[in-house]
Amino acid sequence: MDDPHADARLLARTYGRFGLVNALVSRPGMLYRRDIRPRADRAGRLRILDVGAGGGDLCRLLAQRLRRDGLEADITALDADDRAIRWASAHDRGAGIRYRRALTSDLVAAGETFDVVLSNHVLHHLDDAELQVVLGDSVRLVAPGGLVSHHDIARSRTAHALFAVATWPISGTLLADSFIREDGLISIRRSYTVSELATIAPAGWLVRGGVPARLELRWERDRARP
């Protein structure tokens, strides 16, 4: 998917399938209940930034749940890939997301701030230098009392094997003509373990694991260690 010459038809179908896959492996409901809903209750109108939003499925899910609960939010889906932004904008389905093709550094330069900065399955796409830039920018983009929560896959042989087995029966149906299975297996191989991420995370960041095969890299402005 990172290939700028990737087949446009397969890429579009991949964006369209992300909602299904992420609902199963990323546990967005837990993110909403633990971190988004409580802050929305307090903030009045929550400002959320999704870094590397891809097809925007997480943003649309959060917008739907917030609306269902009578809460308001301004949600920005950020991605450096114009293909993702074009697809997500065309499939907003009335969610009211703001889709932006930009880097986190562009938002820092513009002086923007958010109550929650998050990402899903982005960290393993970054090299060491890019990771440090995104983490530094994330801290600068968070308003007082805000939260940064970057989620990703935790690398393990078990996770790789389970994903391969679980997606095989539907590789010719629900996942047909997409990069989901191939990209997922590559992503698991490229991702971090908890200990690896903890070693390179700057001071003040909390690294924790979860199931199924999940990582969270978390920073809270009011709780960060000096």
Side-chain angles (χ1 to χ4, degrees), residues 17-31 57-58 61 119-122 124 151-154 158-167 170 175 180-181 183-185 187-188 209-216:
R17 299 293 185 271
F18 271 157
L20 170 65
V21 175
N22 286 331
L24 296 175
V25 303
S26 300
R27 304 183 70 186
M30 185 177 73
L31 168 69
D57 57 281
L58 178 58
L61 182 146
S119 73
N120 188 48
H121 296 168
V122 169
H124 68 267
H151 294 257
D152 209 346
I153 308 160
T158 300
H160 190 275
L162 288 176
F163 186 82
V165 170
T167 55
I170 58 175
L175 303 184
I180 292 290
R181 190 167 191 272
D183 186 71
L185 292 171
S187 295
I188 294 170
V211 292
R214 303 298 297 165
L215 287 173
E216 182 187 14

Side-chain angles (χ1 to χ4, degrees), residues 5 11-13 26 44-45 55 60 91 93 107 120 124 127 129 178 184 220 222:
H5 304 295
L11 190 62
R13 288 183 65 87
S26 300
R45 190 173 188 91
R60 290 190 295 275
H91 295 81
R93 304 186 186 98
L107 274 60
N120 188 48
H124 68 267
D127 62 29
S178 79
E220 295 183 71
D222 291 346

Side-chain angles (χ1 to χ4, degrees), residues 99-219:
Y99 299 96
R100 293 187 60 180
R101 182 193 178 193
L103 302 173
T104 52
S105 55
D106 296 323
L107 274 60
V108 170
E112 299 197 37
T113 58
F114 302 85
D115 302 300
V116 179
V117 175
L118 56 87
S119 73
N120 188 48
H121 296 168
V122 169
L123 300 183
H124 68 267
H125 289 280
L126 308 175
D127 62 29
D128 290 348
E130 291 169 337
L131 175 64
Q132 297 303 323
V133 168
V134 168
L135 296 185
D137 287 346
S138 298
V139 169
R140 296 180 186 95
L141 288 167
V142 172
L147 165 72
V148 181
S149 183
H150 293 302
H151 294 257
D152 209 346
I153 308 160
R155 188 182 79 251
S156 72
R157 291 181 180 178
T158 300
H160 190 275
L162 288 176
F163 186 82
V165 170
T167 55
W168 175 254
I170 58 175
S171 60
T173 54
L174 290 176
L175 303 184
D177 295 328
S178 79
F179 296 122
I180 292 290
R181 190 167 191 272
E182 178 184 5
D183 186 71
L185 292 171
I186 292 172
S187 295
I188 294 170
R189 293 195 295 269
R190 291 177 58 180
S191 60
Y192 296 95
T193 65
V194 172
S195 59
E196 287 170 347
L197 194 54
T199 298
I200 63 174
W205 288 83
L206 171 66
V207 181
R208 56 189 180 191
V211 292
R214 303 298 297 165
L215 287 173
E216 182 187 14
L217 185 55
R218 185 181 183 92
W219 191 90

